Amino acid sequence: MARTTMLPVFRLIACAILGLASVTVAAAPVAFAQENAEIPPLPRPRPDPNNLPPAAAPAAGTAADAIAAVTSVPQSVTLTARITQEGPSIPEGVVWRVFDSVPDAQGNMTLVAKSEESTARLDLPPGEYVVHAAYGRAQLSESLSVVPGNNEKVVDLEAGALRLNSAVTGDIPIAPTQLRFDIFTAGEESSRVLIAENLPPNDIVTLNAGTYHIVSHFGAINAVVRADLRVEAGELTDATLYHHASEVSFRLVSEEGGEAIADVEWTIKTPDGATVFTDRGAFPSTVLAEGEYLIFAKQGEQVYNREVQVVSGGSREIEVLTGVYGGV
């Protein structure tokens, strides 16, 4: 919270004090003129008010200049952040940005200061600002009033943390290299905002408290799981999402368990004809969600095909036999 120190305003009051002399008039004796009588001093003539010299004008802008000089001097500003209102100050990892509160002609707010110190110490001229604190992917913007003197501001992020992982149904582990996560704001799909993408498993992500839409990708094709998760302020939420999918590999062989035929073009389609995977080689592999698929293996001018049912579980190898599955 900013600590405000009021600058006293001093007002000079001029007071004129008039002293009145008491004059006593007594009867004067008769006097006779003499030749050597001394002439008393004559009174000073009154100046003509219509013929006075112009008075010197007071220095213009003196007060305004003094105020401007005081209000333009940078003042000390200290910024600190906390995870929650009851928690201690965050020791590291906070990025501070301070913007002028008045947008420019293009409607953008001008950046006037930045600090990557968790406790930021800045010098800013008195005025109104917007301070933005970012800690991981948790962030908060608040107004900041800088006045003459020492200014302090504490920002309570009300943030929590999220750690994500996935497995195949049945608690079958998935290699970390096969997983990635996207985090969106909650709500209708059309209004969601992407916050983070392609996150690896088991990373701790700091977020503002709230509900988020999580997308887990297993492999690169169609094994996708979605869930809404709640992040609580000051807490770490561990979440594991479960996939109904399997890692599959393919071989074109002349007999069951035989040696794989090289230089084969592979195409995998869904029952509605959508192509989900293509590759070339003797041992291609991928991850597929549970469901039915049609496999095409082209070797030279000959094309072999096979219908398969992929079920959730561990790795599976699928053979296409040239002597069983007819060419087309």
Side-chain angles (χ1 to χ4, degrees), residues 81-280:
R82 299 182 296 199
I83 290 290
T84 62
Q85 187 174 2
E86 295 78 19
S89 298
I90 300 173
E92 59 182 355
V94 182
V95 178
W96 298 93
R97 292 177 176 84
V98 180
F99 299 88
D100 195 325
S101 63
V102 180
D104 60 18
Q106 289 72 39
N108 300 317
M109 300 180 73
T110 303
L111 179 67
V112 297
K114 178 181 178 182
S115 174
E116 296 186 5
E117 298 292 332
S118 289
T119 299
R121 293 177 174 85
L122 308 172
D123 291 321
L124 297 171
E128 299 299 319
Y129 302 89
V130 174
V131 59
H132 179 271
Y135 180 56
R137 287 176 170 80
Q139 53 186 321
L140 185 65
S141 295
E142 290 188 355
S143 59
L144 170 66
S145 296
V146 177
V147 298
N150 293 322
N151 298 264
E152 295 182 359
K153 176 77 172 180
V154 179
V155 174
D156 297 323
L157 292 170
E158 292 300 312
L162 183 62
R163 182 163 52 196
L164 299 168
N165 203 353
S166 288
V168 174
T169 301
D171 283 325
I172 299 172
I174 299 173
T177 55
Q178 292 275 36
L179 284 175
R180 59 187 177 89
F181 296 89
D182 299 331
I183 301 177
F184 295 84
T185 56
E188 298 296 328
E189 185 174 358
S190 59
S191 63
R192 291 174 190 152
V193 177
L194 178 65
I195 295 176
E197 63 180 334
N198 293 329
L199 297 176
N202 296 316
D203 265 17
I204 296 178
V205 184
T206 306
L207 300 164
N208 293 102
T211 301
Y212 296 89
H213 185 75
I214 311 300
V215 181
S216 173
H217 301 268
F218 175 22
I221 299 180
N222 61 355
V224 177
V225 175
R226 298 173 178 269
D228 287 339
L229 298 176
R230 175 75 186 175
V231 174
E232 300 293 343
E235 297 181 8
L236 170 63
T237 300
D238 272 305
T240 299
L241 282 66
Y242 288 90
H243 285 266
H244 296 276
S246 179
E247 294 186 65
V248 293
S249 59
F250 310 96
R251 301 185 338 136
L252 178 64
V253 294
S254 56
E255 59 182 1
E256 188 173 345
E259 186 175 349
I261 298 173
D263 197 27
V264 178
E265 294 182 30
W266 296 90
T267 302
I268 301 177
K269 294 179 178 289
T270 59
D272 59 5
T275 299
V276 295
F277 177 76
T278 60
D279 201 356
R280 187 185 189 103

